[in-house]
Amino acid sequence: MYISETKLKVRYVETDRMGIVHHSNYYAWFEVGRGDFITKSGMTYSDMEKQGVMMPLVETYCKYYEGAKYEDDIIIQTSIGEMSPVKVIFNYNVIREVDGKLMAKGKTTQTFVNNQFKIVNLKKIHSELWEKLQNLK
C-alpha cells in the first residue's frame, strides 16, 4: 500500500483563541494530502478533470486525539482505504513530526463523476486512471 506524506507547518490563522488548530482545518489538510497523493501517483487532479473525471466529496470523518498548535510541523499521511470503480475512500493520519504523535485520523469518500456530475465507472471509461489508482491500494 502506498502512503503519501505531506509536510505542513501550522499557521497562526489556523488556530483558535486557545492556540489550538480549529477542527475545520483538518479537512483542508486532508484535501492537501489527497492532492499531493494524486500528484505523487504520476498525475494531477487537474489532469483528471481535463479527462472529464472529477471526485466530489460525499462523506467525511475525523477523530481528534490531540490538538495541533501554532508552528507545529505536521505530516499528513494519505492512503487509499477502499476503492471500487465508482468511488474511493482515502485514509488520513495527522502526525506531529517532532515526536511522531498521532494528532488525528480521518477519511473521505469521493465518487467518480463526469462533467455533468453523473457517477461513472472509472474502470470502464478511464482504465489508465483506474490502473494508476489501483496500483496504489
Side-chain angles (χ1 to χ4, degrees):
M1 169 177 45
Y2 175 70
I3 299 174
S4 171
E5 291 196 348
T6 306
K7 294 184 178 189
L8 300 172
K9 184 178 282 294
V10 175
R11 300 173 302 162
Y12 186 80
V13 70
E14 294 169 317
T15 64
D16 59 20
R17 186 172 178 184
M18 297 177 287
I20 298 170
V21 171
H22 190 269
H23 65 275
S24 63
N25 288 297
Y26 288 81
Y27 292 103
W29 294 348
F30 293 171
E31 183 178 342
V32 171
R34 187 170 58 250
D36 196 37
F37 179 94
I38 292 169
T39 299
K40 289 176 180 174
S41 76
M43 62 184 141
T44 65
Y45 189 74
S46 296
D47 292 337
M48 291 177 67
E49 286 185 334
K50 287 174 188 169
Q51 294 182 44
V53 177
M54 296 182 286
M55 297 187 327
L57 194 68
V58 295
E59 186 175 51
T60 63
Y61 166 83
C62 188
K63 169 88 173 168
Y64 306 96
Y65 296 100
E66 185 176 318
K69 296 180 176 62
Y70 174 56
E71 292 189 334
D72 277 351
D73 291 311
I74 58 168
I75 299 169
I76 312 301
Q77 293 180 332
T78 307
S79 61
I80 292 177
E82 296 176 40
M83 193 168 92
S84 77
V86 297
K87 75 175 183 179
V88 60
I89 298 174
F90 286 97
N91 292 329
Y92 310 90
N93 288 324
V94 178
I95 297 167
R96 188 170 46 220
E97 187 173 25
V98 70
D99 60 4
K101 170 95 176 171
L102 179 65
M103 309 300 282
K105 68 179 181 178
K107 64 182 179 176
T108 59
T109 304
Q110 275 99 309
T111 59
F112 301 114
V113 300
N114 62 20
N115 292 332
Q116 290 77 44
F117 293 95
K118 302 279 188 216
I119 294 174
V120 296
N121 181 318
L122 189 66
K123 188 175 181 179
K124 287 183 180 176
I125 67 161
H126 287 291
S127 59
E128 69 286 348
L129 291 178
W130 168 258
E131 288 300 321
K132 281 184 180 184
L133 290 174
Q134 189 71 14
N135 289 335
L136 299 173
K137 266 184 35 179

